[in-house]
Amino acid sequence: MTSDPKADFVWMSDISASTNDERAPIAASTSAVFTRLSSLGIDFRMGVVKHTSNHVTNRTPAGQLLSPGFTRDGPTFQGWWADTAGSDGQEYG
């Protein structure tokens, strides 16, 4: 028995100021990822977790997917890369 390939992807978005110039190119390239996965017939969903917490700040909820959790919609996914709410200028390396 064979089944259609399925995959869920969770991306981490570093929202610190040092990555401000890197989020837009990532968002722009996601359409190529969505197109390629679709052309391969992969049933996929994408989610984004913002990197806003570490052992120093202990902010919660660490590791929570942006609402609504997962999406198959490219523009929604791209919009999540512009979301820097919660950034406090700290570097989380």
Side-chain angles (χ1 to χ4, degrees), residues 14 16 18 51 53-56 90-93:
D14 182 341
S16 62
S18 65
H51 194 284
S53 185
N54 62 21
H55 71 284
V56 176
Q90 293 190 40
E91 297 295 326
Y92 304 109

Side-chain angles (χ1 to χ4, degrees), residues 5 7 9 11 30-46:
F9 296 88
W11 298 55
T30 61
S31 62
V33 174
F34 274 67
T35 299
R36 183 66 175 145
L37 289 170
S38 294
S39 72
L40 292 170
I42 297 173
D43 179 9
F44 67 94
R45 301 180 311 165
M46 299 284 185

Side-chain angles (χ1 to χ4, degrees), residues 33-79:
V33 174
F34 274 67
T35 299
R36 183 66 175 145
L37 289 170
S38 294
S39 72
L40 292 170
I42 297 173
D43 179 9
F44 67 94
R45 301 180 311 165
M46 299 284 185
V48 174
V49 173
K50 290 193 297 186
H51 194 284
T52 59
S53 185
N54 62 21
H55 71 284
V56 176
T57 60
N58 287 326
R59 282 189 273 161
T60 56
Q64 184 175 8
L65 290 170
L66 293 178
S67 183
F70 282 100
T71 188
R72 291 182 176 93
D73 182 65
T76 297
F77 184 73
Q78 288 178 339

